[in-house]
Amino acid sequence: MLSDVMEDYLKVIYHLQQDREGRIKTSEIAEYLDVTSPTVTSMIDKLEERGLVDREKYKGVVLSEDGERVALEVVRHHRLLEAYLTERLDYDWSEVHEEADRLEHHISEKFEERVVEALGDPEVDPHGDPIPNAELDPPVEGEGARLTEFGEGDRVVVDRISDQDPAVLQYLSDHSIDPGVELEVNEVAPFGMVTVQVANETVSLPERIAAHVEVDERSTTRATN
């Protein structure tokens, strides 16, 4: 049996591996979890002993095959729970991440099957993230372009919103910016503000918030100069 903390570390390494190629450094994990590097080193020792990570001195870690399967199962539970909380318990999509964090380690396989049946085996969670299938095949993650890559007059459809910052999720939810919504970029200010049109509302997004929004490039219409 793995502890909740061990599973959390494996999930974090999985997420970091989706953002870039190569090994993940202790300092990156520490920053992500807001803990000290010695704390991370101690946990990596335990995960390495169990064959869940492959560590190379001074270069960092990657998940082993067994470690990736554990991480994918936790991610599957997390995203299924987010979908269930949103669709069946009337949670707002901006508030389900932390709730799912608390529950993801404790659901049974039977409960998971019931959730899948109730939701019709969804492929994505409320934020647009792909849900790993029952065989725990690695899904395609985070290949969309960022909203910050577009210019004035471009029309885009929101595909995914990173769920790592609850304040960002709440801000976007308050302005009805969620997966599936069409946006038109009105202005990109030189000081880091992106102004978009959402239906009849004009919304100004600080660049750090706009960077959390990924769009479906297949549905993008670029402005012509």
Side-chain angles (χ1 to χ4, degrees):
M1 287 288 292
L2 299 179
S3 69
D4 294 357
V5 176
M6 287 179 175
E7 291 184 347
D8 282 338
Y9 269 76
L10 294 172
K11 184 176 71 169
V12 167
I13 296 170
Y14 171 81
H15 286 315
L16 291 172
Q17 286 183 180
Q18 307 315 303
D19 291 335
R20 64 170 181 79
E21 296 182 359
R23 292 177 176 272
I24 307 303
K25 296 180 179 179
T26 299
S27 58
E28 295 176 273
I29 302 171
E31 181 179 1
Y32 194 104
L33 290 171
D34 194 24
V35 297
T36 65
S37 290
T39 298
V40 174
T41 299
S42 175
M43 179 55 69
I44 294 299
D45 287 342
K46 296 175 183 178
L47 296 175
E48 186 179 30
E49 288 174 4
R50 292 172 178 256
L52 299 171
V53 298
D54 175 70
R55 175 164 53 179
E56 190 171 337
K57 194 172 184 180
Y58 304 123
K59 293 186 178 180
V61 301
V62 292
L63 294 176
S64 67
E65 184 175 337
D66 287 343
E68 183 179 58
R69 285 190 64 80
V70 173
L72 284 167
E73 183 170 28
V74 177
V75 170
R76 175 172 167 79
H77 288 174
H78 181 97
R79 294 176 181 174
L80 282 171
L81 284 164
E82 288 188 330
Y84 187 78
L85 290 167
T86 303
E87 295 186 25
R88 295 306 174 96
L89 299 183
D90 294 327
Y91 277 71
D92 188 85
W93 66 272
S94 66
E95 61 183 348
V96 294
H97 179 70
E98 291 184 337
E99 197 74 66
D101 267 344
R102 288 187 282 268
L103 297 171
E104 64 192 14
H105 307 287
H106 307 296
I107 67 172
S108 66
E109 295 306 307
K110 183 176 182 179
F111 183 86
E112 176 190 324
E113 292 171 2
R114 292 288 181 88
V115 169
V116 169
E117 182 179 356
L119 299 180
D121 198 9
E123 294 184 357
V124 296
D125 73 7
H127 310 106
D129 287 315
I131 299 173
N133 61 27
E135 290 72 37
L136 301 180
D137 298 317
V140 177
E141 301 255 12
E143 290 195 335
R146 303 285 179 177
L147 179 59
T148 49
E149 298 174 30
F150 294 86
E152 296 176 11
D154 291 344
R155 300 182 70 88
V156 302
V157 175
V158 178
D159 186 48
R160 174 182 177 270
I161 295 174
S162 172
D163 62 1
Q164 298 305 308
D165 189 330
V168 169
L169 290 176
Q170 188 61 60
Y171 185 91
L172 293 171
S173 177
D174 288 345
H175 295 288
S176 301
I177 298 176
D178 50 26
V181 166
E182 184 177 83
L183 310 175
E184 180 174 355
V185 180
N186 287 350
E187 182 182 9
V188 180
F191 51 81
M193 187 72 72
V194 180
T195 301
V196 298
Q197 190 72 26
V198 189
N200 296 321
E201 181 183 7
T202 300
V203 181
S204 293
L205 303 174
E207 189 173 33
R208 68 175 186 83
I209 292 181
H212 284 71
V213 180
E214 290 184 10
V215 306
D216 182 353
E217 290 197 90
R218 297 167 298 180
S219 303
T220 296
T221 303
R222 293 279 189 175
T224 57
N225 296 324

